[in-house]
Amino acid sequence: MKDIVLSGIRSTGNLHLGNYFGALRNFIKMQDENRCFFFIADLHSLTTHPKSENFHENVKTVLAEYLASGLDPDKSVIFVQSAVPEVSELYTLMNMWSYVGELERTSSFKEKVRKHPDNVNAGLLTYPVLMATDILIHRASKVPVGKDQEQHLEMTRVFARRFNNMYGVEFFPEPTAYNFGTELIKVPGLDGSGKMGKSEGNGIFLADDEKTIRKKVMRAVTDSGPAEPDAPMSEPVRNLFTILEIVSDDDVVRFYKAKYDSGEIRYGELKKQLADDICRITLPIRERIMDIRSNEKYLSETVKNGAEQARESASATLAGVKKIMGFKPFW
Ligand code: AMP
């Protein structure tokens, strides 16, 4: 039997290299061998209160970026989260076997509270429940996510197990994180520390033009030069090497590592190489983004067809859950 694979993305802002290498690229590689579901998480995006006039446009942008990156509607089910109302119904049910204490302890929740103390809404607290719902509603077994989502996925496993134990069933599979390499990837930002993110202002977006990419990379934080022999590499420089390892060929990485080790490295040259390799990967995607974004008919046909297939899968799971929980129709 084929594995069921699921991946999603919030419709807040454009896709960056972290999204591409952390999640999307793995997902695209899986389309041929598995039954793949991909969705745009517009409900999740509501926790940050997007303006209503931008809401729909954001969904379209992310959709176009995913399609341009290689997601194929003939191979995968591509849909918008809110077009599958079964998700919201299962989310309500799932909230009954998710506990406030465990949600409050989630590191992403604690981080959000710290960063945005003025907007600690209940949707943020139950964010992992909605994420688990997205996965479990298709009974997905593999979820290609970046390292930042490991904890959410662990919680999904807990929720699945808890439901199965509570009702004495083997209904939900426990999904695992999936990556083609051996380790989950974390793409660092260009600002010296932390991961590349949409709102951190430290990222390269798939829709960036060449000039912007070069400017961003050339401005990336480094240090004042290679450290003493055997001293650890500084975090900003390590981050640049991490990105180099992701976008460049092995011999290029070896070349710059050797230059670093011998103390001869020029960060300007390293950055130029990095910018060249990033452009090589992202500029063809950017061209496709512009084509697809203007093709309204293609976009709407894709998600209409996707929603039909996603609803079929979601309603079967929801019906199963309700039956197990004791719901019975009156008519
Ligand atoms: P987000 O942009 O937070 O909605 O994340 C969408 C997907 O991209 C998730 O599967 C994340 O794990 C992945 N992702 C986001 N940022 C990074 C990053 N800097 N490195 C690796 N994966 C990432």
Side-chain angles (χ1 to χ4, degrees):
M1 215 177 83
K2 282 185 174 183
D3 276 316
I4 297 177
V5 181
L6 177 125
S7 178
I9 184 127
R10 272 172 307 152
S11 49
T12 32
N14 300 71
L15 298 185
H16 52 73
L17 282 186
N19 300 133
Y20 184 73
F21 286 103
L24 179 55
R25 199 183 47 152
N26 282 315
F27 187 75
I28 288 166
K29 285 190 200 158
M30 301 173 85
Q31 295 184 108
D32 291 318
E33 279 95 47
N34 304 282
R35 176 151 168 78
C36 289
F37 289 85
F38 162 73
F39 71 99
I40 295 165
D42 57 344
L43 297 175
H44 273 116
S45 82
L46 289 169
T47 57
T48 54
H49 300 171
K51 288 203 166 61
S52 52
E53 58 267 36
N54 300 337
F55 188 70
H56 184 63
E57 291 305 308
N58 292 346
V59 173
K60 275 203 240 166
T61 300
V62 172
L63 175 63
E65 295 190 353
Y66 258 84
L67 292 167
S69 303
L71 210 77
D72 183 347
D74 290 332
K75 295 179 186 164
S76 301
V77 179
I78 302 170
F79 62 100
V80 179
Q81 189 182 30
S82 62
V84 181
E86 289 80 5
V87 167
S88 297
E89 191 174 345
L90 183 59
Y91 171 53
T92 304
L93 301 178
M94 295 252 312
N95 271 314
M96 309 306 164
W97 70 86
S98 317
Y99 295 104
V100 172
E102 65 190 339
L103 296 172
E104 280 173 342
R105 282 192 298 275
T106 316
S107 39
S108 57
F109 177 69
K110 288 197 274 194
E111 193 188 318
K112 293 270 158 58
V113 171
R114 208 171 43 243
K115 280 193 182 160
H116 309 284
D118 52 328
N119 181 24
V120 184
N121 57 66
L124 272 183
L125 183 69
T126 57
Y127 198 99
V129 183
L130 183 53
M131 193 168 155
T133 305
D134 290 322
I135 298 167
L136 296 179
I137 204 160
H138 299 294
R139 302 167 84 184
S141 53
K142 285 184 183 170
V143 187
V145 286
K147 196 162 176 52
D148 56 322
Q149 297 294 342
E150 250 179 329
Q151 192 183 24
H152 284 159
L153 203 61
E154 180 51 37
M155 292 177 81
T156 304
R157 283 196 284 273
V158 169
F159 297 147
R161 210 176 307 140
R162 194 175 289 155
F163 178 85
N164 290 345
N165 289 340
M166 260 167 98
Y167 293 100
V169 290
E170 276 303 319
F171 186 75
F172 286 125
E174 288 181 32
T176 50
Y178 196 79
N179 194 50
F180 268 90
T182 43
E183 283 174 28
L184 295 183
I185 285 182
K186 179 180 130 185
V187 181
L190 298 172
D191 52 354
S193 69
K195 69 164 188 163
M196 187 174 287
K198 282 178 183 143
S199 39
E200 281 76 358
N202 63 2
I204 298 209
F205 295 97
L206 298 181
D208 280 345
D209 61 22
E210 181 168 355
K211 207 169 142 207
T212 310
I213 292 174
R214 292 193 184 279
K215 206 155 92 189
K216 284 183 177 175
V217 176
M218 294 320 280
R219 279 195 195 149
V221 177
T222 52
D223 58 26
S224 54
E228 298 294 304
D230 298 331
M233 200 184 259
S234 70
E235 192 182 354
V237 174
R238 204 168 58 235
N239 287 349
L240 291 190
F241 271 104
T242 302
I243 304 178
L244 194 74
E245 278 164 15
I246 293 170
V247 298
S248 305
D249 293 337
D250 290 349
D251 50 343
V252 173
V253 178
R254 272 196 299 274
F255 175 82
Y256 284 97
K257 281 251 163 85
K259 286 248 176 198
Y260 180 89
D261 289 341
S262 64
E264 292 168 283
I265 194 158
R266 285 168 193 256
Y267 292 140
E269 282 170 18
L270 171 70
K271 286 175 172 179
K272 185 171 173 309
Q273 176 76 48
L274 203 53
D276 286 347
D277 286 329
I278 292 172
C279 285
R280 181 173 44 78
I281 294 170
T282 62
L283 293 183
I285 300 178
R286 173 186 153 80
E287 262 186 45
R288 289 197 295 273
I289 292 174
M290 306 219 290
D291 274 355
I292 294 174
R293 183 69 176 82
S294 57
N295 193 342
E296 298 272 340
K297 188 160 170 275
Y298 176 61
L299 292 178
S300 66
E301 273 171 8
T302 298
V303 285
K304 180 167 180 281
N305 187 13
E308 278 163 15
Q309 295 181 65
R311 287 197 71 178
E312 203 181 305
S313 152
S315 56
T317 305
L318 183 62
V321 169
K322 288 174 81 169
K323 187 158 177 248
I324 291 167
M325 291 179 82
F327 286 87
K328 277 192 189 143
F330 268 98
W331 62 93

